[in-house]
Amino acid sequence: MKSSKDLVGLRFLSSREISDLVKETLSLKKSLAQSSKPKPSLSWRTFVTLFFEPSTRTRVSFEIAIKLMGASAVLITKESSSVQKGETLLDTVLNLQAMGVDGVIMRHPDGGSPAFIAKHLKIPVINAGDGFHEHPTQGLLDLVTMTEKLGSLKNKNVLILGDIAHSRVARSNIWALTKSGANVFVSGPLTLIPADIQKMGVTYVGDLRTIVSKLDVINVLRIQSERQQAGFFPSIREYRHFFGLTRDKLQDAKPELLILHPGPINRGIEIDSEVVDGPQTLILDQVQNGIALRMTVLKHLIEDKT
Ligand code: NCD
C-alpha cells in the first residue's frame, strides 16, 4: 500500500503489506473499544461512494469509517448519476475529481473498472467490488476476523465453499489466505469452479465431508445468480443437498471450526439457519471488523500520504 495510490486488489499487495494491515486493524479495534471517540484525522475531507450495484454492508461500512475519521461521504448510484444520461464513467469521475473530492470508493459490475478509473485519476480509488474480479476490503476483513480468533494463519486449513467462479470475495480471499501461508481448499459444483483454479494455489474438494475434520475455517459464499447467464446446477434443492452448509455435513468438524460468510446470506440455500445462528459463526464479527479495517485502509491511502 505504501507504493500504491489505490487499492484495487489483494493480488497486488505483498504478504507483509497484508499482515501489517491486519495487525493495525486489530489494534485500532482495541483502541476503539477502549475510547469510543477516534481522532478525526480526515476532517474536511470528502469521499464519493460510487455504487453501481446493490450493497448494504460494504457501502454503509465505508460511510461509517469515513464519518468516524471526521470526513464526509457522498453517495452516487447508477440511477442518480449522469451515466444514466449517456456520460461515460470516466467523465463522471473526472468531474468529481474537479470538485476536489479526496477519494473514490467504487463498486461496479465490470471487472477491471476500478483499475481503469484509478489510472486516470490523481486521487485514490478503492475497489469495493468489481464484477467477479476482486473485493479487497472484504478479503482483508475476512482475514482480520480469522486472525483475531486463530492467531497466525500459517498452515491453517481454510475451505471456501460455493460459487467460486462468479465470486470476487473468493478471489480476494484466495490471494489474502495464500499470501498468509494458509492451506486453501475450494468446493462447489464443478460448473461453478474456474477450470484453472489450482493455478491460484488452491485444492478442489468435491465433498467437504472428506476434509471437514481437519478444517479450521469454512467461508461460505452466496450463489451469484445476478452474474450467471445459464443454469449452472439443476435446482436450488439439489445445490443445498450437495453444497449447502447443513449441520449434518459438520458432524465430524472440530468444535472450534469457524464459519464465515461475507453476506448477504440466503438462509436455507448455501447455509442453513441452524448453522448461521450457531456459536461458531462469525458473520457479524466480520461486519464489525469491516469498520476498523476500512478506517485502516483510508489511513494508509490518505492520511499517511498528505
Ligand atoms: C459480497 C459482494 O457484494 O461481493 N458481499 C459483500 O460485499 N459483503 C458477496 C455477495 O454479494 O454475495
Side-chain angles (χ1 to χ4, degrees):
M1 291 269 276
K2 283 194 183 64
S3 51
S4 168
K5 165 177 86 67
D6 315 286
L7 176 60
V8 295
L10 298 185
R11 177 186 196 148
F12 311 106
L13 297 194
S14 66
S15 312
R16 182 63 194 271
E17 286 172 311
I18 290 176
S19 74
D20 284 352
L21 285 169
V22 170
K23 271 187 227 146
E24 254 182 73
T25 301
L26 288 170
S27 85
L28 174 64
K29 185 183 175 183
K30 226 184 253 165
S31 69
L32 286 176
Q34 279 153 9
S35 72
S36 52
K37 286 206 182 80
K39 67 174 183 357
S41 49
L42 294 180
S43 45
W44 300 109
R45 306 294 182 109
T46 305
F47 295 91
V48 165
T49 48
L50 192 72
F51 274 65
F52 280 23
E53 270 188 12
S55 169
T56 309
R57 276 153 289 270
T58 307
R59 180 176 65 76
V60 176
S61 173
F62 265 114
E63 292 184 358
I64 291 176
I66 288 166
K67 286 172 189 173
L68 284 172
M69 297 175 89
S72 49
V74 180
L75 167 67
I76 300 181
T77 60
K78 186 173 181 200
E79 297 69 33
S80 69
S81 75
S82 292
V83 168
Q84 205 72 350
K85 297 185 188 167
E87 183 174 69
T88 67
L89 181 62
L90 181 57
D91 283 329
T92 301
V93 291
L94 286 170
N95 278 270
L96 298 171
Q97 178 171 264
M99 288 178 212
V101 158
D102 294 285
V104 174
I105 291 137
M106 70 178 273
R107 167 167 292 192
H108 200 279
D110 297 337
S113 48
F116 169 75
I117 295 300
K119 234 191 310 181
H120 290 86
L121 292 189
K122 292 189 195 78
I123 54 175
V125 174
I126 301 177
N127 178 7
D130 60 331
F132 40 88
H133 176 231
E134 278 224 43
H135 190 348
T137 56
Q138 183 69 44
L140 288 169
L141 75 89
D142 290 347
L143 202 64
V144 166
T145 308
M146 294 178 215
T147 309
E148 190 175 28
K149 299 283 175 200
L150 298 172
S152 163
L153 294 179
K154 212 166 176 52
N155 296 322
K156 293 289 190 301
N157 296 318
V158 181
L159 172 74
I160 307 172
L161 173 65
D163 182 359
I164 310 294
H166 303 96
S167 172
R168 51 200 177 208
V169 177
R171 278 175 192 73
S172 288
N173 261 261
I174 293 171
W175 288 117
L177 287 163
T178 50
K179 286 176 194 237
S180 305
N183 305 317
V184 185
F185 301 88
V186 293
S187 184
L190 270 175
T191 47
L192 293 177
I193 306 287
D196 52 357
I197 193 78
Q198 74 283 359
K199 286 196 187 138
M200 291 186 81
V202 306
T203 307
Y204 175 73
V205 184
D207 182 349
L208 79 92
R209 284 171 296 195
T210 58
I211 56 157
V212 74
S213 63
K214 61 173 192 170
L215 291 177
D216 299 291
V217 181
I218 302 181
N219 197 353
V220 189
L221 303 173
R222 185 176 65 86
I223 300 162
Q224 310 275 300
S225 34
E226 71 277 25
R227 279 183 245 291
Q228 299 181 4
Q229 272 127 34
F232 283 86
F233 48 87
S235 70
I236 292 288
R237 239 168 92 171
E238 186 171 314
Y239 181 89
R240 179 184 169 274
H241 177 74
F242 288 108
F243 300 102
L245 197 60
T246 52
R247 208 161 57 179
D248 62 290
K249 292 199 189 80
L250 294 172
Q251 245 167 34
D252 297 329
K254 300 181 201 174
E256 64 274 22
L257 167 73
L258 306 175
I259 294 161
L260 278 73
H261 190 310
I265 55 173
N266 284 177
R267 289 174 186 258
I269 302 181
E270 75 273 9
I271 188 164
D272 270 13
S273 267
E274 291 182 314
V275 181
V276 173
D277 301 323
Q280 291 308 119
T281 304
L282 298 176
I283 299 175
L284 296 178
D285 296 59
Q286 291 170 265
V287 175
Q288 193 194 21
N289 289 335
I291 307 276
L293 179 270
R294 292 184 170 110
M295 289 174 75
T296 306
V297 166
L298 288 166
K299 177 179 178 296
H300 273 256
L301 289 179
I302 322 277
E303 190 189 319
D304 290 354
K305 289 190 177 148
T306 45

